[in-house]
Amino acid sequence: MTETTNTTSPENANGQLSLSTDAARQLSTTTKTPPQMQEITSRWLLRLLPWVQCSGGVFRVNRRLTYTLGDGRITFSTTGSAVRVIPAELTELGPLRGFDDMEVLEALAERFTQREVESGEEIVTEGDPVDQLVLIAHGRVGKVGHGAYGDEQSLGVLADGDFLGEEVLTNGGQHGYSARAKTATTVLVLSRRDFEQIADQSPALREHLAGWRAAGAHARNAYGEAAIDMSSGHTGEPVLPGTFVDYEQSPREYELSVAQTVLRVHTRVSDLYNQPMSQLDQQLRLTVEALRERQEDELINNREFGLLHNADFSQRIRTRSGPPTPDDLDDLLAVVWKEPAFFLAHPQAIAAFGRECSKRGVYPQSSEVNGNRVPAWRGVPIFPCNKIPVTSTRTTSFLLMRTGQENQGVVGLHQTGIPDEYQPSLSVRFMNINEKAVISYLVSAYYSAAVLVPDALGVLEDVELGRNG
Amino acid sequence: MVFKLTESDQRPLSLGTAAARTLATTTKTPPQMREISPRWLLRVLPWVDVAGGVYRVNRRLTYAVGGGRVSFAGTGARVRVIPPSLTELPLLHGFEDGDVLDTLARLFEQREFAPGEAIVRAGRPADEILLIAHGKVTKLQEGGYGDRLVLGVLADGDHAGAESPDERGVWGFTLEAGTVVTVLALPWEEFRAVSGQSPPLRAQLERHRARLARPRNKWGEAAIRLASGHRGEPALPGTFADYDPGPREYELSVSQTVLRVHTRVADLYNDPMDQTEEQLKLTIQAVRESQERELINNREFGLLHNADPKQRIRPRTGPPGPDDLDELLCRRRKSRCFLAHPRAIAAFHRECSARGLYPDSAEIEGSRVTAWRGVPILPCDKIPISRMGTSSIIVMRTGEQDQGVVGLFQRGVPGEREPGLSVKFTGIDTRAVASYLVSAHYSAAVLVPDALGVLEDVEVART
């Protein structure tokens, strides 16, 4: 900030009457700030996650045995306007999971035909027999059903990579809903006849499907976990079921990831220019801040353990219309309904959500967390996090999670007590001084994040920012 | 700048993490389980110790007037009433002659109405018994200044015009179809013709008339006679509060299972976690989940089945709106909480947002949940959602002092591990498998019918 003062006096012909500020400054000490940095954010995720000490460097999440229910998403390759499904991706379909005969998968992928569907057109109709497998390559499709009194109800939104009619692969049946394109949509279609032709030629495929049907017969609860048998409310003396709780045979193990850098400081600098601030400390402080920012980024975006990638497919929902409306956040709350702790969203997404609220005349209460007032929705605070990516088409995601080990939620993993620890789970080690008199320090942060139970984390995808109207 | 560490294609110079892990201890979680839910119902119910295993709810003598739901069987487009369920009609309450009921059931005539059509009109002669087989019907009245007043909504299984066998008056309300409605109608003419030939039915009507003639208050309880505001020296009425001679008794129900652990596993693999203990913990969680499911869905004492027919209402439109929750609240004092499926809560929230309302949230046991008029709405995934996408919302008053809903359990069961839950060692068989009997004893009682209300048939996915 600068201030200009006009103190020209009439007698000031050849010079000034008193000492100028320029000259005065030669005698005074400048008050200096430590080096400032734009990259620093509030890093709410790091502050809010409960951190679990992970002594052996590996964290094993034991779970009850689960017979996988959910499906993944299918990816496509595009050349010009022609879209093809990548054959190996077909194993994301529940009945084909674990099927590894590439030739058959390629033959299946060949038989898909591409269809362009206009907005508003029906792709499948409720009550019709299931006679085709439809993969959605691009576009938004609404699932619509009829309610108890004949009125329409929306049963969710499908988009890129989702599919419908996978019953074709098993036993057919009827469509329980209509699927109606909400935008211009590209779909790939495999007819039942084509599929049966290929299945007839491939004993391996038939055997795999038979095995899948048999696996479906395992007793399980609503979440796909191997059932704990019990009887209730009986009179008389029935034989009680004997039971045990089966565990997953190969539970997921999370290894601590690391963010590292080598910080170099010339000895001349660190020896001489230390008043009033230690040069080394300031260099370290900024490096550590950058490292922590990277840590938060990785916790969200890492392909192995990042929360966006680690969320179960059954816990991912799409927005109803595009922008993040109150209805979408309510839907997300119904997905993670067991003691949700907080939402995490890009600041622009929070602004978009605020706009949608205002449009409906709803003013959500804010809530207080650690002395900060943050916006909240249904009592669950919404924290900003600029690490959640915004794609080039201006879409982003909302995260909602339950935290803590005792709640079977999301936990951060770290290891305290490492050698030369500078902050919890962050070490600064002196490496050496080289021939050019440069001192090197190795700065490393160890971290990871684990989702203990899939329903602890939900993601609202395809949130559009900046939509008008 | 931070570089992302990638696996270099060089020959490793030092020990890899995979090899190092073989020496290190893995930090392990106890087994996690998706099925565990917050189990709010078990947390909010006050639990009453039932020392004798039976809990008797004594009430004032009530002249029961039926009022339950009639059930139907459909074959194609033809709908038939199931004869025994006709006893839910007040005037056939307690009637047991199956042949006469069959005859009556056959006499019903089916009619279809389109949305907006009037089924009966106020002021027209009431000469029929109407049963609503499917659809929603709005009950309307003309207000004091000529406007339409909505009295309520009737739907599947409700009936109209079957209160009294005598006075052939006129309809006091209009019934208008809200959706496509199927109605079964029985003209009084035919009913009277049947009763003319059947002495048991005539006796039943006599009993019904006698029941209606008894002095009672508006809840059907035998009246306690009082005199008030008198002048002079009238003779005061003598009275007593009569009790229900056959009060309802709740026996404790049980959820049980036998947990088996091989002694080899239990003996050897105990560090750092006790295997038997972990197996028990998860089994107990599953038993508690089953307990909550039973408390809601059991046909004997489950809250959804135990609610009084008069305390069951239907939403005005399809989804649960603020109006419906208000309607639910106005029927009891001291409502403690709502219980609803998370998707029903989302549907309610959508309705609020559509009206530009933002309900406050309330804190209950450290969690923030939405509250409507100060009554917290607690999520419970045990309330079923039908295939057609309908669910129910429960509201209740709790506690013995308030004549509310209470949970029943027994303290001090042998082998008690938690209140109401016992673990007993039952032996080791010849294959060296140790067994434990895990049982939870519980029930729930509604002390006064108006302690529990249910909003039925809410549509959770309507656009």
Side-chain angles (χ1 to χ4, degrees):
Chain A
M1 200 159 80
T2 51
E3 277 180 29
T4 46
T5 43
N6 282 337
T7 50
T8 40
S9 90
E11 292 107 299
N12 191 1
N14 55 350
Q16 60 215 52
L17 295 178
S18 71
L19 188 66
S20 76
T21 52
D22 280 353
R25 275 182 56 183
Q26 303 297 334
L27 288 196
S28 73
T29 325
T30 321
T31 306
K32 293 162 289 286
T33 67
Q36 306 292 310
M37 173 162 161
Q38 282 202 61
E39 196 183 342
I40 300 174
T41 64
S42 39
R43 294 197 296 269
W44 279 108
L45 181 60
L46 299 191
R47 284 204 247 169
L48 293 166
L49 274 190
W51 293 89
V52 173
Q53 165 75 354
C54 181
S55 308
V58 181
F59 188 73
R60 181 183 301 151
V61 178
N62 288 304
R63 285 181 183 165
R64 256 175 79 182
L65 177 64
T66 305
Y67 303 112
T68 327
L69 288 170
D71 297 295
R73 290 224 174 116
I74 293 173
T75 41
F76 302 88
S77 63
T78 320
T79 38
S81 64
V83 182
R84 284 199 65 225
V85 58
I86 298 170
E89 286 286 321
L90 287 175
T91 54
E92 294 289 344
L93 294 162
L96 293 180
R97 171 160 298 151
F99 185 65
D100 51 5
D101 191 333
M102 275 313 284
E103 279 181 26
V104 178
L105 290 178
E106 270 166 29
L108 278 175
E110 282 302 319
R111 297 289 182 107
F112 279 94
T113 51
Q114 185 175 344
R115 237 182 86 198
E116 304 292 333
V117 182
E118 305 218 332
S119 173
E121 200 177 319
E122 271 194 2
I123 300 172
V124 302
T125 309
E126 188 177 358
D128 281 2
V130 181
D131 55 1
Q132 54 185 20
L133 169 64
V134 181
L135 312 180
I136 299 167
H138 185 69
R140 294 166 67 85
V141 174
K143 290 204 287 186
V144 181
H146 281 98
Y149 302 100
D151 33 33
E152 277 199 353
Q153 39 188 359
S154 87
L155 301 171
V157 173
L158 302 176
D160 305 20
D162 292 328
F163 44 84
L164 48 98
E166 69 272 25
E167 297 88 351
V168 161
L169 305 182
T170 49
N171 46 8
Q174 286 186 336
H175 283 293
Y177 51 83
S178 305
R180 200 174 294 156
K182 291 186 150 194
T183 62
T185 304
T186 308
V187 295
L188 293 182
V189 178
L190 175 71
S191 74
R192 184 181 194 99
R193 221 188 43 235
D194 285 347
F195 172 74
E196 276 167 359
Q197 273 177 11
I198 288 174
D200 285 344
Q201 289 159 15
S202 163
L205 179 57
R206 283 202 304 276
E207 200 176 304
H208 182 85
L209 291 177
W212 187 82
R213 266 180 230 125
H218 285 298
R220 50 174 126 164
N221 65 13
Y223 303 98
E225 294 172 333
I228 300 178
D229 297 321
M230 76 183 66
S231 66
S232 57
H234 47 77
T235 53
E237 294 173 348
V239 180
L240 294 180
T243 195
F244 65 99
V245 190
D246 211 350
Y247 305 146
E248 245 171 41
Q249 292 295 321
S250 48
R252 169 133 191 215
E253 295 190 344
Y254 293 85
E255 291 188 60
L256 288 186
S257 179
V258 61
Q260 280 182 319
T261 186
V262 176
L263 170 66
R264 296 202 204 89
V265 185
H266 201 285
T267 42
R268 189 176 44 214
V269 170
S270 67
D271 288 351
L272 296 181
Y273 299 92
N274 279 331
Q275 281 305 322
M277 281 171 259
S278 158
Q279 293 286 350
L280 179 60
D281 282 356
Q282 292 307 322
Q283 285 281 307
L284 255 182
R285 186 178 67 84
L286 295 186
T287 312
V288 166
E289 290 285 354
L291 218 52
R292 289 293 192 204
E293 291 293 328
R294 168 54 75 109
Q295 175 177 354
E296 195 184 29
D297 189 278
E298 290 280 307
L299 283 179
I300 287 182
N301 293 311
N302 186 294
R303 297 204 71 86
E304 295 292 320
F305 58 83
L307 298 180
L308 279 180
H309 297 277
N310 211 358
D312 198 77
F313 280 104
S314 61
Q315 297 288 113
R316 292 160 185 262
I317 56 169
R318 317 262 194 184
T319 50
R320 288 168 172 250
S321 55
T325 58
D327 298 354
D328 294 316
L329 261 66
D330 287 333
D331 286 345
L332 189 57
L333 277 171
V335 167
V336 188
W337 61 275
K338 302 169 181 172
E339 323 256 344
F342 58 87
F343 289 100
L344 210 59
H346 194 279
Q348 291 183 26
I350 298 179
F353 172 63
R355 274 198 299 279
E356 292 299 319
C357 286
S358 306
K359 202 184 282 174
R360 281 170 179 68
V362 172
Y363 185 83
Q365 286 173 332
S366 55
S367 82
E368 192 166 318
V369 179
N370 300 340
N372 292 295
R373 288 213 77 83
V374 291
W377 182 248
R378 311 293 180 210
V380 179
I382 307 176
F383 289 101
C385 173
N386 64 342
K387 312 298 185 303
I388 297 176
V390 176
T391 64
S392 55
T393 50
R394 307 283 293 155
T395 62
T396 179
S397 305
F398 270 72
L399 290 169
L400 174 63
M401 65 191 92
R402 168 171 82 236
T403 57
Q405 203 171 1
E406 58 289 347
N407 292 336
Q408 307 197 105
V410 178
V411 292
L413 307 176
H414 71 179
Q415 188 175 358
T416 56
I418 48 177
D420 296 315
E421 196 166 56
Y422 181 77
Q423 282 176 1
S425 203
L426 186 143
S427 72
V428 180
R429 301 181 103 166
F430 171 72
M431 290 167 74
N432 58 10
I433 305 180
N434 68 6
E435 300 86 49
K436 294 178 198 154
V438 175
I439 313 183
S440 307
Y441 292 90
L442 176 66
V443 188
S444 354
Y446 298 97
Y447 53 83
S448 186
V451 183
L452 298 189
V453 168
D455 67 11
L457 175 65
V459 182
L460 174 67
E461 297 184 320
D462 281 351
V463 174
E464 288 179 21
L465 301 181
R467 248 242 308 247
N468 279 332
Chain B
M1 181 64 205
V2 186
F3 293 94
K4 192 153 184 167
L5 293 189
T6 51
E7 276 181 44
S8 61
D9 31 36
Q10 294 170 359
R11 205 163 49 81
L13 297 176
S14 66
L15 187 69
T17 48
R21 272 177 57 181
T22 53
L23 291 195
T25 334
T26 312
T27 308
K28 290 161 287 282
T29 64
Q32 308 287 312
M33 169 165 167
R34 256 184 112 161
E35 200 181 337
I36 300 174
S37 70
R39 297 200 291 272
W40 280 110
L41 177 60
L42 302 191
R43 281 153 77 177
V44 295
L45 271 189
W47 292 89
V48 175
D49 185 7
V50 181
V54 179
Y55 188 72
R56 181 182 303 149
V57 179
N58 286 309
R59 289 181 181 165
R60 259 174 77 184
L61 177 63
T62 306
Y63 302 118
V65 285
R69 299 262 157 86
V70 183
S71 355
F72 302 89
T75 42
R78 280 284 303 153
V79 182
R80 282 190 59 235
V81 59
I82 296 172
S85 73
L86 280 176
T87 55
E88 296 291 345
L89 298 177
L91 77 166
L92 293 177
H93 179 75
F95 186 58
E96 275 164 359
D97 191 329
D99 291 340
V100 177
L101 290 178
D102 277 347
T103 320
L104 285 175
R106 266 200 301 276
L107 291 173
F108 278 93
E109 168 196 334
Q110 182 174 344
R111 284 180 211 155
E112 307 284 339
F113 294 90
E117 267 186 85
I119 298 169
V120 303
R121 276 186 205 287
R124 295 281 178 80
D127 52 1
E128 283 175 330
I129 299 177
L130 296 178
L131 306 179
I132 295 159
H134 183 71
K136 279 196 181 171
V137 175
T138 317
K139 194 171 173 182
L140 299 162
Q141 196 186 355
E142 188 170 317
Y145 303 96
D147 39 4
R148 276 159 55 107
L149 303 181
V150 177
L151 297 179
V153 174
L154 305 180
D156 308 22
D158 287 331
H159 54 80
E163 281 73 33
S164 145
D166 301 315
E167 29 165 328
R168 293 278 55 83
V170 292
W171 290 107
F173 47 81
T174 300
L175 292 179
E176 194 180 281
T179 62
V180 175
V181 177
T182 307
V183 171
L184 293 185
L186 173 66
W188 276 106
E189 291 295 319
E190 310 223 8
F191 186 87
R192 243 172 263 127
V194 174
S195 72
Q197 289 161 14
S198 160
L201 183 54
R202 273 202 304 279
Q204 163 73 19
L205 294 181
E206 274 314 311
R207 273 202 301 280
H208 181 67
R209 276 185 205 107
R211 247 198 321 257
L212 288 182
R214 297 238 183 83
R216 51 181 165 164
N217 65 12
K218 68 171 179 171
W219 294 278
E221 293 172 335
I224 298 179
R225 268 175 290 192
L226 308 165
S228 57
H230 43 78
R231 232 180 262 164
E233 292 173 350
L236 295 183
T239 192
F240 65 103
D242 205 355
Y243 301 144
D244 191 351
R248 171 142 186 204
E249 294 188 343
Y250 293 85
E251 288 189 61
L252 290 187
S253 178
V254 64
S255 282
Q256 271 182 325
T257 187
V258 176
L259 172 67
R260 298 204 203 95
V261 186
H262 199 285
T263 44
R264 188 174 48 210
V265 169
D267 290 348
L268 296 180
Y269 299 89
N270 279 330
D271 202 43
M273 282 171 252
D274 187 326
Q275 294 281 355
T276 316
E277 196 58 26
E278 292 301 327
Q279 286 277 310
L280 264 179
K281 262 192 215 160
L282 294 187
T283 310
I284 288 174
Q285 290 290 344
V287 167
R288 289 294 195 201
E289 291 292 325
S290 148
Q291 175 177 354
E292 195 186 26
R293 185 169 301 115
E294 289 286 312
L295 284 177
I296 288 188
N297 293 310
N298 187 293
R299 299 202 71 86
E300 298 290 319
F301 58 84
L303 298 183
L304 283 181
H305 298 277
N306 212 357
D308 191 76
K310 288 215 194 70
Q311 298 294 332
R312 294 160 181 269
I313 58 168
R314 303 257 173 44
R316 291 177 165 220
T317 58
D323 305 349
D324 301 314
L325 263 60
D326 284 338
E327 186 73 35
L328 204 51
L329 281 179
C330 77
R331 288 168 182 247
R332 78 197 35 72
R333 65 195 163 98
K334 276 194 170 174
S335 292
R336 169 83 195 282
C337 63
F338 292 102
L339 278 178
H341 193 280
R343 284 177 60 201
I345 297 180
F348 169 66
H349 282 155
R350 274 200 299 278
E351 289 300 306
C352 287
S353 301
R355 282 175 177 69
L357 288 176
Y358 185 81
D360 278 346
S361 54
E363 190 163 326
I364 176 164
E365 295 190 20
S367 305
R368 287 210 80 84
V369 294
T370 300
W372 182 247
R373 312 284 183 215
V375 180
I377 307 177
L378 304 174
C380 172
D381 62 341
K382 312 297 184 305
I383 299 176
I385 292 186
S386 74
R387 280 212 345 274
M388 303 305 282
T390 58
S391 182
S392 302
I393 294 178
I394 296 176
V395 66
M396 60 189 174
R397 173 172 79 228
T398 58
E400 248 180 338
Q401 309 77 346
D402 292 327
Q403 309 195 95
V405 180
V406 292
L408 309 176
F409 79 112
Q410 195 177 83
R411 204 186 295 282
V413 188
E416 186 174 63
R417 193 184 150 99
E418 294 171 10
L421 189 140
S422 68
V423 178
K424 289 195 198 75
F425 177 64
T426 54
I428 300 177
D429 69 3
T430 48
R431 280 175 289 181
V433 176
S435 318
Y436 298 85
L437 176 66
V438 184
S439 13
H441 298 275
Y442 54 83
S443 189
V446 183
L447 298 190
V448 167
D450 79 354
L452 175 67
V454 181
L455 178 66
E456 294 189 315
D457 287 342
V458 298
E459 295 184 55
V460 297
R462 210 167 85 172
T463 43

